[in-house]
Amino acid sequence: MTNDLLTLLNQRRTIYALGKDVTLADDEIVTLATDLIQATPSAFNSQTVRAVFLFGAKHDQLWDIVIKRLKSEVPTEAAYENTKKKINSFKAGHGTILYFTDTAKVHQLEQDFTLYADNFATWAEQAQGSSQLNVWTGLANHGIGASLQHYNPLIDTLVQEAFDIPATWQLRAEMPFGSIEAPAGDKDTMAKADQFKVLK
Ligand SMILES: Cc1cc2nc3c(=O)[nH]c(=O)nc-3n(C[C@H](O)[C@H](O)[C@H](O)COP(=O)(O)O)c2cc1C
């Protein structure tokens, strides 16, 4: 492996300070992300990942839904103010990618390949992780920052109604993205001796 992939992977970080000044047009972002998701492997080539791209008013609408939904979950007014600040930092970005799993496809596979039935839900999650990482890294390659959020399942029904999502699509993650207005925080890595074993 050359250093290029490692450099790119290290360039992908969790970016919370997002802005709207991105280097790519919306349709270029969609092409990039959809190409990357289609290039990502999935078990049995099952292609269970679905994605919805929100820009402009639709992006704002998502984060307004989250702010409203969290009101009853946050114990105090002061805590809610902090919550709102955090959610507004995602809204400050340029767009959001919603990642879904097509559960109808997963259930069909469970029926079609009974020997592997117990594996398909896990494999669908692995395809999610692989796809999300590829898109996150692909955006970083264009200087676009992103983070990975999980307000599902709290917002599932609201999102389904707001954006006309098929009933079988289960929301798995929300990825707000935009220009990088401040760098990522420090991050430590484990001692390799604690994390890996090499046997010969
Ligand atoms: C599966 C997964 C779930 C995550 N969920 C969240 C989340 O809900 N909210 C959040 O702010 N960050 C979330 N993150 C980001 C991680 O906290 C972050 O990737 C980790 O601390 C390493 O930092 P880095 O992304 O800058 O390398 C998630 C990351 C992964 C891979």
mmCIF file of all heavy atoms in Angstrom, residues 18-43:
data_model
loop_
_atom_site.group_PDB
_atom_site.id
_atom_site.type_symbol
_atom_site.label_atom_id
_atom_site.label_comp_id
_atom_site.label_asym_id
_atom_site.label_seq_id
_atom_site.Cartn_x
_atom_site.Cartn_y
_atom_site.Cartn_z
ATOM 1 N N LEU A 18 -19.126 23.351 10.878
ATOM 2 C CA LEU A 18 -19.422 23.279 9.443
ATOM 3 C C LEU A 18 -19.970 24.597 8.919
ATOM 4 O O LEU A 18 -20.663 25.321 9.643
ATOM 5 C CB LEU A 18 -20.469 22.183 9.190
ATOM 6 C CG LEU A 18 -20.077 20.740 9.510
ATOM 7 C CD1 LEU A 18 -21.289 19.819 9.356
ATOM 8 C CD2 LEU A 18 -18.933 20.278 8.620
ATOM 9 N N GLY A 19 -19.653 24.874 7.649
ATOM 10 C CA GLY A 19 -20.230 26.040 6.975
ATOM 11 C C GLY A 19 -20.770 25.640 5.615
ATOM 12 O O GLY A 19 -20.806 24.452 5.271
ATOM 13 N N LYS A 20 -21.188 26.630 4.843
ATOM 14 C CA LYS A 20 -21.885 26.338 3.581
ATOM 15 C C LYS A 20 -21.013 26.510 2.344
ATOM 16 O O LYS A 20 -21.465 26.313 1.220
ATOM 17 C CB LYS A 20 -23.116 27.235 3.476
ATOM 18 C CG LYS A 20 -24.082 27.005 4.637
ATOM 19 C CD LYS A 20 -25.440 27.577 4.389
ATOM 20 C CE LYS A 20 -26.351 27.393 5.592
ATOM 21 N NZ LYS A 20 -26.681 25.991 5.869
ATOM 22 N N ASP A 21 -19.727 26.867 2.557
ATOM 23 C CA ASP A 21 -18.846 27.260 1.458
ATOM 24 C C ASP A 21 -18.120 26.037 0.886
ATOM 25 O O ASP A 21 -16.896 25.924 1.003
ATOM 26 C CB ASP A 21 -17.854 28.294 2.034
ATOM 27 C CG ASP A 21 -17.049 28.955 0.952
ATOM 28 O OD1 ASP A 21 -17.458 28.888 -0.224
ATOM 29 O OD2 ASP A 21 -15.996 29.527 1.289
ATOM 30 N N VAL A 22 -18.839 25.118 0.268
ATOM 31 C CA VAL A 22 -18.207 23.880 -0.197
ATOM 32 C C VAL A 22 -17.632 24.035 -1.612
ATOM 33 O O VAL A 22 -18.067 24.888 -2.381
ATOM 34 C CB VAL A 22 -19.187 22.682 -0.164
ATOM 35 C CG1 VAL A 22 -19.493 22.273 1.248
ATOM 36 C CG2 VAL A 22 -20.450 22.980 -0.932
ATOM 37 N N THR A 23 -16.675 23.155 -1.926
ATOM 38 C CA THR A 23 -15.935 23.257 -3.190
ATOM 39 C C THR A 23 -16.652 22.583 -4.362
ATOM 40 O O THR A 23 -16.279 22.777 -5.509
ATOM 41 C CB THR A 23 -14.565 22.561 -3.034
ATOM 42 O OG1 THR A 23 -14.801 21.241 -2.518
ATOM 43 C CG2 THR A 23 -13.662 23.315 -2.077
ATOM 44 N N LEU A 24 -17.641 21.774 -4.080
ATOM 45 C CA LEU A 24 -18.344 21.041 -5.144
ATOM 46 C C LEU A 24 -19.790 21.519 -5.260
ATOM 47 O O LEU A 24 -20.404 21.923 -4.257
ATOM 48 C CB LEU A 24 -18.367 19.532 -4.837
ATOM 49 C CG LEU A 24 -17.026 18.786 -4.766
ATOM 50 C CD1 LEU A 24 -17.265 17.310 -4.439
ATOM 51 C CD2 LEU A 24 -16.254 18.911 -6.077
ATOM 52 N N ALA A 25 -20.323 21.442 -6.490
ATOM 53 C CA ALA A 25 -21.751 21.729 -6.695
ATOM 54 C C ALA A 25 -22.566 20.570 -6.113
ATOM 55 O O ALA A 25 -22.056 19.450 -5.959
ATOM 56 C CB ALA A 25 -22.044 21.872 -8.185
ATOM 57 N N ASP A 26 -23.833 20.834 -5.827
ATOM 58 C CA ASP A 26 -24.682 19.798 -5.212
ATOM 59 C C ASP A 26 -24.717 18.520 -6.056
ATOM 60 O O ASP A 26 -24.609 17.404 -5.531
ATOM 61 C CB ASP A 26 -26.121 20.321 -5.019
ATOM 62 C CG ASP A 26 -26.183 21.427 -3.972
ATOM 63 O OD1 ASP A 26 -25.145 21.687 -3.322
ATOM 64 O OD2 ASP A 26 -27.253 22.024 -3.820
ATOM 65 N N ASP A 27 -24.867 18.680 -7.374
ATOM 66 C CA ASP A 27 -24.960 17.453 -8.201
ATOM 67 C C ASP A 27 -23.624 16.713 -8.234
ATOM 68 O O ASP A 27 -23.601 15.484 -8.385
ATOM 69 C CB ASP A 27 -25.514 17.732 -9.604
ATOM 70 C CG ASP A 27 -24.723 18.770 -10.360
ATOM 71 O OD1 ASP A 27 -23.855 19.409 -9.761
ATOM 72 O OD2 ASP A 27 -24.982 18.931 -11.575
ATOM 73 N N GLU A 28 -22.505 17.429 -8.062
ATOM 74 C CA GLU A 28 -21.199 16.753 -7.991
ATOM 75 C C GLU A 28 -21.088 15.955 -6.683
ATOM 76 O O GLU A 28 -20.531 14.855 -6.653
ATOM 77 C CB GLU A 28 -20.062 17.771 -8.085
ATOM 78 C CG GLU A 28 -19.923 18.401 -9.466
ATOM 79 C CD GLU A 28 -18.871 19.500 -9.493
ATOM 80 O OE1 GLU A 28 -18.851 20.364 -8.577
ATOM 81 O OE2 GLU A 28 -18.072 19.508 -10.439
ATOM 82 N N ILE A 29 -21.615 16.517 -5.616
ATOM 83 C CA ILE A 29 -21.608 15.803 -4.328
ATOM 84 C C ILE A 29 -22.452 14.534 -4.433
ATOM 85 O O ILE A 29 -22.045 13.457 -3.985
ATOM 86 C CB ILE A 29 -22.133 16.724 -3.192
ATOM 87 C CG1 ILE A 29 -21.117 17.842 -2.930
ATOM 88 C CG2 ILE A 29 -22.411 15.932 -1.917
ATOM 89 C CD1 ILE A 29 -21.610 18.935 -2.004
ATOM 90 N N VAL A 30 -23.605 14.660 -5.066
ATOM 91 C CA VAL A 30 -24.497 13.497 -5.219
ATOM 92 C C VAL A 30 -23.821 12.429 -6.075
ATOM 93 O O VAL A 30 -23.825 11.235 -5.729
ATOM 94 C CB VAL A 30 -25.861 13.915 -5.821
ATOM 95 C CG1 VAL A 30 -26.694 12.697 -6.185
ATOM 96 C CG2 VAL A 30 -26.621 14.809 -4.842
ATOM 97 N N THR A 31 -23.186 12.852 -7.182
ATOM 98 C CA THR A 31 -22.503 11.881 -8.051
ATOM 99 C C THR A 31 -21.371 11.196 -7.292
ATOM 100 O O THR A 31 -21.224 9.962 -7.337
ATOM 101 C CB THR A 31 -21.945 12.587 -9.315
ATOM 102 O OG1 THR A 31 -23.040 13.154 -10.018
ATOM 103 C CG2 THR A 31 -21.218 11.616 -10.223
ATOM 104 N N LEU A 32 -20.582 11.984 -6.578
ATOM 105 C CA LEU A 32 -19.466 11.430 -5.803
ATOM 106 C C LEU A 32 -19.975 10.385 -4.803
ATOM 107 O O LEU A 32 -19.481 9.245 -4.751
ATOM 108 C CB LEU A 32 -18.744 12.571 -5.060
ATOM 109 C CG LEU A 32 -17.653 12.158 -4.067
ATOM 110 C CD1 LEU A 32 -16.425 11.662 -4.818
ATOM 111 C CD2 LEU A 32 -17.264 13.346 -3.167
ATOM 112 N N ALA A 33 -20.959 10.770 -4.010
ATOM 113 C CA ALA A 33 -21.433 9.881 -2.940
ATOM 114 C C ALA A 33 -22.132 8.646 -3.496
ATOM 115 O O ALA A 33 -21.930 7.530 -2.994
ATOM 116 C CB ALA A 33 -22.361 10.649 -1.997
ATOM 117 N N THR A 34 -22.931 8.823 -4.543
ATOM 118 C CA THR A 34 -23.641 7.653 -5.096
ATOM 119 C C THR A 34 -22.655 6.704 -5.777
ATOM 120 O O THR A 34 -22.794 5.479 -5.667
ATOM 121 C CB THR A 34 -24.765 8.077 -6.072
ATOM 122 O OG1 THR A 34 -24.230 8.940 -7.069
ATOM 123 C CG2 THR A 34 -25.890 8.785 -5.349
ATOM 124 N N ASP A 35 -21.640 7.256 -6.457
ATOM 125 C CA ASP A 35 -20.605 6.392 -7.054
ATOM 126 C C ASP A 35 -19.864 5.623 -5.954
ATOM 127 O O ASP A 35 -19.576 4.427 -6.105
ATOM 128 C CB ASP A 35 -19.586 7.221 -7.852
ATOM 129 C CG ASP A 35 -20.123 7.664 -9.204
ATOM 130 O OD1 ASP A 35 -21.196 7.183 -9.607
ATOM 131 O OD2 ASP A 35 -19.464 8.501 -9.857
ATOM 132 N N LEU A 36 -19.548 6.311 -4.860
ATOM 133 C CA LEU A 36 -18.801 5.663 -3.769
ATOM 134 C C LEU A 36 -19.639 4.575 -3.101
ATOM 135 O O LEU A 36 -19.128 3.500 -2.772
ATOM 136 C CB LEU A 36 -18.341 6.707 -2.746
ATOM 137 C CG LEU A 36 -17.185 7.592 -3.236
ATOM 138 C CD1 LEU A 36 -17.006 8.804 -2.323
ATOM 139 C CD2 LEU A 36 -15.888 6.793 -3.307
ATOM 140 N N ILE A 37 -20.909 4.840 -2.911
ATOM 141 C CA ILE A 37 -21.771 3.817 -2.287
ATOM 142 C C ILE A 37 -21.901 2.608 -3.225
ATOM 143 O O ILE A 37 -21.832 1.460 -2.787
ATOM 144 C CB ILE A 37 -23.154 4.406 -1.914
ATOM 145 C CG1 ILE A 37 -22.997 5.412 -0.771
ATOM 146 C CG2 ILE A 37 -24.126 3.289 -1.509
ATOM 147 C CD1 ILE A 37 -24.234 6.237 -0.457
ATOM 148 N N GLN A 38 -22.021 2.886 -4.523
ATOM 149 C CA GLN A 38 -22.142 1.754 -5.463
ATOM 150 C C GLN A 38 -20.828 0.985 -5.612
ATOM 151 O O GLN A 38 -20.846 -0.188 -5.989
ATOM 152 C CB GLN A 38 -22.647 2.250 -6.817
ATOM 153 C CG GLN A 38 -24.106 2.719 -6.732
ATOM 154 C CD GLN A 38 -24.815 2.762 -8.068
ATOM 155 O OE1 GLN A 38 -24.203 3.053 -9.088
ATOM 156 N NE2 GLN A 38 -26.107 2.480 -8.061
ATOM 157 N N ALA A 39 -19.704 1.637 -5.307
ATOM 158 C CA ALA A 39 -18.401 0.953 -5.377
ATOM 159 C C ALA A 39 -18.107 0.148 -4.108
ATOM 160 O O ALA A 39 -17.144 -0.618 -4.054
ATOM 161 C CB ALA A 39 -17.289 1.983 -5.591
ATOM 162 N N THR A 40 -18.945 0.325 -3.095
ATOM 163 C CA THR A 40 -18.729 -0.330 -1.803
ATOM 164 C C THR A 40 -19.279 -1.758 -1.837
ATOM 165 O O THR A 40 -20.409 -1.973 -2.287
ATOM 166 C CB THR A 40 -19.439 0.476 -0.684
ATOM 167 O OG1 THR A 40 -18.918 1.806 -0.694
ATOM 168 C CG2 THR A 40 -19.220 -0.146 0.678
ATOM 169 N N PRO A 41 -18.515 -2.736 -1.350
ATOM 170 C CA PRO A 41 -19.022 -4.119 -1.386
ATOM 171 C C PRO A 41 -20.125 -4.358 -0.355
ATOM 172 O O PRO A 41 -20.197 -3.672 0.669
ATOM 173 C CB PRO A 41 -17.775 -4.951 -1.026
ATOM 174 C CG PRO A 41 -16.935 -4.036 -0.204
ATOM 175 C CD PRO A 41 -17.170 -2.644 -0.743
ATOM 176 N N SER A 42 -20.985 -5.325 -0.660
ATOM 177 C CA SER A 42 -21.986 -5.769 0.319
ATOM 178 C C SER A 42 -22.128 -7.281 0.173
ATOM 179 O O SER A 42 -21.886 -7.836 -0.906
ATOM 180 C CB SER A 42 -23.333 -5.077 0.067
ATOM 181 O OG SER A 42 -23.790 -5.340 -1.246
ATOM 182 N N ALA A 43 -22.514 -7.944 1.259
ATOM 183 C CA ALA A 43 -22.615 -9.409 1.258
ATOM 184 C C ALA A 43 -23.584 -9.868 0.168
ATOM 185 O O ALA A 43 -24.681 -9.310 0.021
ATOM 186 C CB ALA A 43 -23.112 -9.890 2.618
#
